[in-house]
Amino acid sequence: MGRAGRASQPKRLVTFEIGHPDDDGDDFAAESCFPMASAMEDEKSPPLEESDHICDAIGGFGRWQLKLTFLLSLVNIPCTWHIFVPTFQVPATDDFWCLRPPALKTLTSDLWINISHPYILDKDGQLRYDRCNVFDVDYSRLSMFGASSIESAAALLQRDNSTPTRPCSKWEFNSTLGYTLLQEWDLVCDRAHLKDTAEMTFLAGVALGGLVSGMISDKFGRKKTLLSSLIAQIMVGTIIAFNPWFEAHCVLRFFLGFISVGIVFSGFVLCMEVVGGKWRTISGVSYLFPVPLSYIMIAGIAYLVRDWRSIQLAITLPAITLLSFFWIMPESPRWLLSVGRKDLVVPILQDAARTNKLTLPASLDKQLQQECTPTAEDSAGVLDLFRTPHIRKISLLLYVIWFSVYLAYYGLVLNINQFAGDPYVNTVLSGVVEVPSIALSILILLKMGRRWPCCLTLVVGGVACLLTLLVPPSTQQASTALAMVAKFSVSASNAIMPVFTAELFPTVVRNVGVGASNVPAGIALMLTPYLWNLATFGAGVPMTVIGAISLLGGFTALLLPETANVPMPQTIQEGEARGKTIAAPNKSASSLSANGDAAERTNSVASNGFVS
């Protein structure tokens, strides 16, 4: 039967609600689970669903959901390590020089630099030695006759400032850096651009992986996608540690990015689909808390382990512990219902109810049976994001916002070496700044909804970046302080957007929608390694670009519908119906709050929404 024919046949669906304030305006009561049919007062709009039986049965949040949210958030740690590790594996340094001939290994590095390297003016007008070239002379004379000073060495070599030079083919590096990718493949001078190429391949994998893994997750389930991606990440990460070829390193990094983003987004969607009420907001944002903690941890790992291969193993092998999820992590009951697998849903809800100390309703099996008849929409793909007007609109707007958030956030995070100071300390400070930002995101999401927090955090971050242009070049501390303000604000946007995005898409295309939004985000990521190259056109150009794009994303957020106190749609048909009613959110929210009968149906849930 055609799509239009199916759309004309109403079916019972399962969705879950965002909690709403109770009478005192502080706590979120258990009425977050109630029929939507009575809420839709527009007779032209079909009823979207009758109730969220999963939320009714096990509560919006309890010990079961707390355990899953905590465990799922841990998958962020190895993924964050893999994206951030180039900061230490490929450090920004100019402390290197051309390789000494074997016969001159006893020569000190300072003496070797002074007798062999010509001096040039750098871009700041400072005199420094040329790290890429040496005088073209016969250095074997030094080993034959010896030299006690720079002057005597120059005389022996018969060279002066007019002596021609030749490019170096090998280099030596300051030993305090440890053994990095720079030494492994001489990624300096005429090969320096390969540093950015290697990182761009990882970020290209992120862009493509978000889309593909979303389709796989929607087809085969969140748990299978998550676990298979974890296994692949461990395998690829380990191979990278032993790989001897630069070209293979780039290819492997591409697949690592492809895999890592699938882990993050599958875990996030699963996290969002096991909670209800206001806890969907809290869990969705709390899922990101390990990200700044990962920055702090990798700074410590890299400080203690000064070899890039050892660092690679140190950030890869701990993920083996996450394979225990196979035994302790359930599949998303909402995804199972959307594909008609009610037989697998009931055991999961029984375990959840037992952990949350609740009793399942006797009629639950019959209720779920009415709601789990699958349709062809269950196999929805990327094209379904553009078939209908409302889903198409939010998809295109989200692409602009995700591009803005990622360019601003990672433009500041991945270019942390552009700021003055020790990279290890700066990385720790970067993580410390982000922790309160994520915590603040929870509060503003609960009090202010989604659109305005997203808009304001991006706008504040953009303004802070643009204000750095007004700071005199000699006042580096003020400029750095404004950059930290920008990162604090944009970090909140980075925490808000996954929640906002997941709430906008129907269940059957949620993972695809989130994954597709990751494509423009991945494009922004691919640009971040080259962002500071724009400084050749002016020192303030990189921050100008970040600020302008951040402002664009902030104002674009205002064009999206608000999702606070609005149900998450389950099917594309339901999402389109919601698009017709979203113009009057206050009317809908008021009608929902007035539905007292729904509260009568709930189990024994504490007034703050937490199952006791």
Side-chain angles (χ1 to χ4, degrees), residues 405-421:
V405 171
Y406 267 50
L407 187 74
Y409 178 78
Y410 286 103
L412 295 171
V413 170
L414 297 184
N415 289 290
I416 198 168
N417 285 327
Q418 301 298 329
F419 300 99

Side-chain angles (χ1 to χ4, degrees), residues 463-474:
V463 170
C465 288
L466 294 177
L467 286 177
T468 60
L469 305 178
L470 305 178
V471 177
S474 58

Side-chain angles (χ1 to χ4, degrees), residues 91-388:
T93 180
D94 56 8
D95 199 2
F96 61 91
W97 51 90
C98 296
L99 181 68
R100 287 168 286 187
L104 300 180
K105 288 296 184 183
T106 57
L107 224 60
T108 64
S109 59
D110 288 338
L111 181 57
W112 164 248
I113 291 171
N114 279 290
I115 65 177
S116 62
H117 290 59
Y119 276 74
I120 59 174
L121 291 176
D122 62 17
K123 62 180 181 180
D124 298 321
Q126 302 295 318
L127 190 66
R128 65 167 179 82
Y129 66 89
D130 186 348
R131 298 174 179 84
C132 302
N133 298 281
V134 292
F135 289 113
D136 188 10
V137 296
D138 182 11
Y139 291 101
S140 62
R141 294 175 60 87
L142 289 178
S143 60
M144 292 172 60
F145 300 103
S148 58
S149 66
I150 297 174
E151 293 76 13
S152 61
L156 281 171
L157 294 174
Q158 299 178 351
R159 64 95 176 155
D160 55 31
N161 291 334
S162 63
T163 302
T165 62
R166 67 169 183 263
C168 305
S169 58
K170 290 287 184 180
W171 288 264
E172 297 179 61
F173 295 79
N174 189 326
S175 59
T176 60
L177 296 173
Y179 189 68
T180 69
L181 287 171
L182 299 178
Q183 289 108 304
E184 182 77 27
W185 291 301
D186 291 318
L187 303 181
V188 294
C189 295
D190 60 341
R191 290 173 57 85
H193 66 281
L194 296 178
K195 295 186 298 183
D196 294 334
T197 301
E199 183 56 16
M200 190 191 70
T201 57
F202 177 90
L203 302 175
V206 171
L208 181 61
L211 178 62
V212 176
S213 65
M215 291 186 287
I216 295 173
S217 179
D218 280 338
K219 185 172 181 62
F220 297 104
R222 316 322 189 194
K223 179 179 178 179
K224 289 181 180 178
T225 304
L226 178 63
L227 288 173
S228 60
S229 297
L230 275 171
I231 294 172
Q233 184 189 66
I234 294 168
M235 294 174 61
V236 174
T238 303
I239 293 172
I240 288 175
F242 296 98
N243 165 59
W245 304 289
F246 176 75
E247 292 76 9
H249 177 82
C250 293
V251 173
L252 290 168
R253 285 284 293 175
F254 171 84
F255 284 110
L256 189 61
F258 182 96
I259 294 163
S260 296
V261 72
I263 294 172
V264 171
F265 279 97
S266 295
F268 173 76
V269 173
L270 178 54
C271 177
M272 292 286 286
E273 290 180 344
V274 297
V275 297
K278 73 166 182 177
W279 296 101
R280 185 150 47 86
T281 298
I282 296 173
S283 294
V285 177
S286 298
Y287 177 79
L288 299 176
F289 268 119
V291 172
L293 299 179
S294 300
Y295 295 151
I296 297 172
M297 286 188 283
I298 195 172
I301 293 171
Y303 183 80
L304 296 173
V305 183
R306 299 297 182 98
D307 176 85
W308 80 266
R309 295 185 186 276
S310 299
I311 293 175
Q312 183 65 35
L313 289 174
I315 65 175
T316 298
L317 298 181
I320 293 176
T321 60
L322 300 179
L323 297 181
S324 61
F325 285 5
F326 178 82
W327 295 278
I328 61 179
M329 190 67 60
E331 180 55 89
S332 166
R334 301 187 190 279
W335 178 82
L336 290 172
L337 277 181
S338 74
V339 296
R341 298 302 305 273
K342 187 265 298 183
D343 57 313
L344 299 179
V345 173
V346 174
I348 294 173
L349 298 186
Q350 289 173 340
D351 177 64
R354 183 166 53 251
T355 304
N356 289 345
K357 299 182 180 180
L358 294 174
T359 301
L360 292 177
S363 61
L364 179 63
D365 187 81
K366 182 178 180 180
Q367 293 168 344
L368 295 179
Q369 182 62 45
Q370 295 173 330
E371 299 167 346
C372 70
T373 303
T375 71
E377 285 190 358
D378 297 320
S379 300
V382 178
L383 292 180
D384 290 283
L385 299 176
F386 303 98
R387 296 186 193 279
T388 54

